[in-house]
Amino acid sequence: MVSRRRFPGLTPIALLLVSFVNVFLVTYVKNVIQELRKERQGYLEVHSRSFNQENAVIERLDHLETYIRNISISMNKPSNEDKKLLQMSKKEMHQKENKLETEKKAVPRILFPDSYLFKRWGTDLTEDQQTKAQELFTKYGYNVYLSDQLPLDRPIRDTRYASCKKKSYPKDLPTLSVILIFMNEAVSIILRAITSIINRTPSHLLKEIILVDDHSSNEDLLGLLDEKIRNYNAKYPGLLKIVRHQKREGLTQARISGWKASSADVVAILDAHIEVNVAWAEPILSRIKEDRTVIISPVFDNIRFDDFDIFEYSVAADGFDWAMWCLYEALPEEWYKLKDDTAPVRSPSIMGILAAHREFLGEIGVLDGGMHIYGGENVELGLRAWQCGGKVEVLPCSRIAHLERAHKPYLLDLSIAMRRNALRVAEVWMDDYKNMVYFAWNLPIENHGIDYGDVTSRKELRKKLNCKSFDWYIKNVYPNLVPMNTIVGYGTIKNTLKEDICIDQGPVPGNTPIMYGCHGYSPQHVFYHSTGEIYVGGLKARRNAVDRCLSDPGTGDLPFLDQCDEAINKGLNMYWDFEQGSSIINRKTKRCLEILRDETASYYTLVMKACTGQKWTIQHTVKDWGRKDALR
Ligand code: UDP
Ligand code: MN
């Protein structure tokens, strides 16, 4: 018996069970939390990578510091301080010790040890200051306590390549409207953005700065901000304008309102929590002067939400996955071949912030005003630009520091808005490939119950502009997205013997799929292909991020998960026969995927064994696959 072999005696059983459950729970809960907290993925993928890198660097520095301290102690060479101590009388020593002791006691207690704000900042704050800082952090998602103290015109490191610094640009360039959109951002943050723009943009090119208030509720964004605008305009007549929404309309509408109010040749539509870097505008303006059809993204650096240090990001192209979370892509080979690191980088999409020829952006339909709150609008613009005769580029010499918040105060779960907006993009721009978006979000293609709003005017726009197909886009612009037309069943898979547990990828890292209580997040998303593969644990369908395929090792009683490309290379038994409501049979070994109830405990294991006729159902099917064969 399977379970006997795995759990040989009673005490070991208990021990094993406890440790298994522990390890599993930790890994599992982490997975689920990750899934739940999935934020705008591009930012997640690269930014979180950078975040980890940063942490690693900090840790390394911490170690280094301790290391150096230890060395200096072990060298036994008395410092001046030590020498003084040596000369002290015993009494004096006691006095000194007491003084140190009271000083130690005076060090404030850390009030919020779990807050991200205090992980590497704020150790010297009094309790009152900590409370204040934490309050502001919760409200804004970044360190407003610190921002309020930093100079508005603080210098930031010039993160451009050396070659960018050598470049010169003609004086005669198109004029620029800069648009800053905001909803309940801190005043000091907005003022620092404005200051950086005024100080780092040639004044003869900067026509106006347009603030768009997406119906903020914070008082200081009314009176106080108006007063600041008047002050700026006293110094720079007519430079600042403000547009206020009468109700909250979301970031896409805010960007559109800014565009409508603008009048210069070029618009740069930015978040309000940014600081532009040296000579950020010249590369944009000269590129648009050369080609009015290019939509531009600058390169972002990260203003860290806690200590406001600038963390440099590498130059990359902007892409997205099938769920439409944005992510960074490696630089294309053709770019390297140019041997000019100031050259524009051809990019499938943008991250959100953009610059474009004002009229051209209007001609191709600005942004999709039907988008709600957050997400999708950037990919929509990317697809529309490419499919309708424009292009998208990242300019390595144009750098903007962008503050990445620890949390979004306006939305706890971005995925609801993201999913809805992604469906708009899929329906308007992706033709037959749109199924991939439904797969990625684990939604049925019909009757999904999600109201993505009216898309007729966007479809008409596509027709009017005579835009190319998504097939053209994927082949010519974004081959890293891999469409899959063999998927016939997807979603969670349940055994008809017990329908509250689902096939699950199991602990990661690890290669053993398991049965687990159904929660329906991506560790339980399974994809069955008409060609026989079974993907488990979400759908990547990207060239450089491989999905995991189920196989039967042929011996032993456990099924196995491996990267699909590896499984092919190793010739694993990875092809299965399955129809809706049938057994899942390995084509090669003829063994079945089944569940087995452990006799000592009330849980089920997922095993490979001689078929006993167990049946499985998958959550969604494509077209008529499997339906005619309903449960037998
Ligand atoms: N914003 C807005 N209305 C909203 C949500 C956001 O105007 O309903 C603004 C926000 O203040 C910010 C910009 O839109 O300046 C982009 O939002 P955020 O920075 O949260 O998104 P991300 O940086 O992840 O793209
Ligand atoms: Mn932002």
Side-chain angles (χ1 to χ4, degrees):
M1 280 275 300
V2 186
S3 52
R4 288 275 151 73
R5 235 186 302 140
R6 283 169 62 207
F7 305 130
L10 203 63
T11 326
I13 290 181
L15 280 175
L16 237 123
L17 251 176
V18 171
S19 57
F20 174 76
V21 167
N22 274 339
V23 170
F24 178 72
L25 274 182
V26 171
T27 335
Y28 200 79
V29 167
K30 261 171 142 178
N31 279 350
V32 172
I33 289 177
Q34 258 169 20
E35 188 59 27
L36 285 169
R37 295 193 55 191
K38 200 169 184 187
E39 293 208 341
R40 214 168 191 181
Q41 189 68 36
Y43 282 32
L44 232 193
E45 281 221 352
V46 167
H47 294 198
S48 70
R49 178 151 34 97
S50 323
F51 188 68
N52 291 339
Q53 279 169 1
E54 278 178 72
N55 282 341
V57 170
I58 288 165
E59 257 173 45
R60 251 175 276 148
L61 288 178
D62 281 350
H63 289 160
L64 200 65
E65 207 182 303
T66 327
Y67 183 52
I68 291 170
R69 216 178 311 128
N70 289 343
I71 292 180
S72 84
I73 289 167
S74 69
M75 287 206 321
N76 256 343
K77 214 170 160 195
S79 65
N80 287 343
E81 186 71 8
D82 293 338
K83 276 183 205 152
K84 260 193 241 155
L85 277 173
L86 286 172
Q87 287 157 8
M88 270 185 200
S89 67
K90 249 189 175 171
K91 194 177 154 209
E92 279 172 320
M93 285 279 263
H94 276 299
Q95 277 171 351
K96 175 100 185 172
E97 268 168 21
N98 286 344
K99 198 170 160 242
L100 283 174
E101 201 54 33
T102 30
E103 270 173 14
K104 225 194 241 163
K105 275 189 198 129
V107 171
R109 212 155 43 98
I110 308 253
L111 292 184
F112 308 98
D114 296 332
S115 167
Y116 282 119
L117 181 61
F118 296 102
K119 294 278 178 243
R120 56 187 168 196
W121 174 87
T123 42
D124 53 342
L125 262 53
T126 65
E127 294 188 6
D128 282 353
Q129 290 169 329
Q130 288 179 50
T131 310
K132 182 84 197 127
Q134 176 62 24
E135 239 175 63
L136 288 166
F137 175 63
T138 312
K139 181 171 171 190
Y140 291 97
Y142 48 76
N143 194 348
V144 176
Y145 182 88
L146 175 61
S147 171
D148 288 350
Q149 294 168 19
L150 292 174
L152 297 183
D153 62 349
R154 71 168 183 157
I156 54 173
R157 193 157 53 87
D158 183 350
T159 52
R160 293 172 303 161
Y161 293 143
S163 46
C164 294
K165 296 176 190 169
K166 285 189 213 127
K167 250 187 130 92
S168 62
Y169 297 91
K171 230 179 157 245
D172 173 29
L173 287 170
T175 57
L176 178 66
S177 298
V178 180
I179 294 151
L180 295 175
I181 63 165
F182 64 88
M183 209 277 295
N184 287 343
E185 305 276 353
V187 173
S188 61
I189 289 282
I190 301 176
L191 297 182
R192 189 168 300 108
I194 296 173
T195 311
S196 75
I197 293 161
I198 294 177
N199 291 347
R200 302 194 181 116
T201 315
S203 55
H204 71 287
L205 301 174
L206 181 63
K207 185 165 185 197
E208 58 196 355
I209 300 176
I210 299 169
L211 306 180
V212 182
D213 175 3
D214 188 20
H215 199 58
S216 301
S217 52
N218 293 353
E219 290 280 306
D220 57 1
L221 290 172
L222 296 169
L224 178 61
L225 187 62
D226 279 342
E227 186 193 319
K228 300 282 181 191
I229 294 173
R230 276 197 300 276
N231 292 346
Y232 278 115
N233 281 339
K235 202 165 167 201
Y236 311 100
L239 185 66
L240 261 81
K241 305 187 170 81
I242 184 154
V243 177
R244 292 194 195 266
H245 282 174
Q246 291 316 303
K247 61 176 180 25
R248 166 114 178 265
E249 297 189 42
L251 64 84
T252 308
Q253 284 294 353
R255 290 192 174 125
I256 297 171
S257 299
W259 173 82
K260 279 187 185 151
S262 66
S263 59
D265 303 324
V266 172
V267 287
I269 309 182
L270 317 177
D271 291 4
H273 41 235
I274 52 97
E275 287 161 68
V276 296
N277 214 323
V278 184
W280 72 288
E282 291 87 333
I284 296 177
L285 298 174
S286 59
R287 181 70 186 117
I288 290 174
K289 190 179 178 188
E290 266 167 28
D291 184 345
R292 75 193 280 278
T293 71
V294 52
I295 308 292
I296 289 172
S297 170
V299 178
F300 301 108
D301 292 307
N302 180 15
I303 305 173
R304 303 201 303 195
F305 64 81
D306 49 358
D307 59 12
F308 275 51
D309 274 357
I310 307 285
F311 185 78
E312 184 177 333
Y313 280 163
S314 328
V315 178
D318 300 343
F320 55 92
D321 64 12
W322 286 108
M324 277 173 221
W325 296 106
C326 50
L327 47 80
Y328 286 130
E329 290 280 354
L331 293 165
E333 262 175 46
E334 307 86 71
W335 184 82
Y336 285 107
K337 279 186 201 144
L338 295 173
K339 296 207 177 333
D340 170 13
D341 52 19
T342 71
V345 177
R346 195 178 130 98
S347 184
S349 180
I350 57 156
M351 288 286 164
I353 282 173
L354 71 113
H357 188 275
R358 183 177 59 83
E359 282 167 0
F360 176 74
L361 189 60
E363 285 159 25
I364 63 162
V366 196
L367 290 172
D368 176 2
M371 297 289 180
H372 278 179
I373 311 179
Y374 182 96
E377 89 295 342
N378 55 332
V379 177
E380 196 270 349
L381 176 60
L383 298 185
R384 179 156 43 85
W386 282 111
Q387 287 177 238
C388 311
K391 50 177 87 71
V392 184
E393 288 172 0
V394 173
L395 296 187
C397 297
S398 175
R399 302 203 66 128
I400 293 186
H402 167 257
L403 197 156
E404 270 165 49
R405 295 186 241 224
H407 56 268
K408 306 248 185 239
Y410 55 85
L411 205 60
L412 277 180
D413 183 3
L414 297 176
S415 62
I416 308 290
M418 189 66 203
R419 186 174 68 176
R420 172 200 179 275
N421 293 343
L423 297 191
R424 283 183 78 82
V425 184
E427 291 295 332
V428 177
W429 296 103
M430 296 177 100
D431 310 319
D432 290 344
Y433 295 87
K434 72 177 183 187
N435 283 8
M436 291 301 293
V437 179
Y438 287 86
F439 297 157
W441 283 101
N442 192 29
L443 288 169
I445 292 154
E446 279 142 32
N447 302 322
H448 46 71
I450 292 170
D451 179 6
Y452 53 76
D454 188 359
V455 290
T456 30
S457 67
R458 299 310 282 182
K459 283 187 165 166
E460 276 163 17
L461 173 76
R462 180 174 169 175
K463 229 189 212 149
K464 189 185 100 193
L465 295 173
N466 203 12
C467 305
K468 295 193 180 87
S469 67
F470 190 75
D471 183 67
W472 173 87
Y473 172 81
I474 213 167
K475 288 181 177 141
N476 293 280
V477 182
Y478 206 8
N480 276 3
L481 278 184
V482 178
M484 292 184 170
N485 53 17
T486 52
I487 294 174
V488 286
Y490 60 102
T492 52
I493 293 199
K494 296 173 181 178
N495 191 297
T496 55
L497 288 181
K498 183 143 176 64
E499 300 202 315
D500 59 347
I501 51 175
C502 288
I503 294 184
D504 187 299
Q505 67 176 0
V508 176
N511 299 80
T512 313
I514 56 169
M515 295 307 295
Y516 192 83
C518 298
H519 54 60
Y521 290 106
S522 75
Q524 298 185 344
H525 293 173
V526 179
F527 300 84
Y528 179 65
H529 294 249
S530 56
T531 36
E533 299 91 335
I534 297 180
Y535 290 6
V536 181
L539 184 68
K540 298 213 171 62
R542 305 177 53 75
R543 227 184 229 178
N544 42 15
V546 187
D547 288 285
R548 294 211 297 165
C549 277
L550 187 77
S551 62
D552 176 6
T555 56
D557 44 44
L558 296 176
F560 187 76
L561 278 180
D562 205 349
Q563 289 201 359
C564 299
D565 54 349
E566 293 283 311
I568 295 170
N569 288 343
K570 292 180 196 157
L572 302 186
N573 308 317
M574 55 182 284
Y575 302 101
W576 307 79
D577 281 327
F578 174 51
E579 285 172 20
Q580 183 68 300
S582 81
S583 303
I584 299 181
I585 310 170
N586 191 279
R587 286 185 187 168
K588 192 79 170 278
T589 65
K590 303 293 175 205
R591 298 203 299 174
C592 276
L593 191 67
E594 299 210 340
I595 57 173
L596 204 64
R597 190 188 174 129
D598 185 84
E599 281 159 7
T600 53
S602 57
Y603 64 87
Y604 286 79
T605 43
L606 182 67
V607 294
M608 291 308 317
K609 61 195 288 296
C611 303
T612 67
Q614 284 185 13
K615 297 183 174 79
W616 298 86
T617 52
I618 193 158
Q619 193 178 5
H620 308 296
T621 55
V622 178
K623 297 210 179 92
D624 287 334
W625 176 80
R627 276 188 202 160
K628 50 189 180 297
D629 281 341
L631 293 178
R632 279 180 292 190

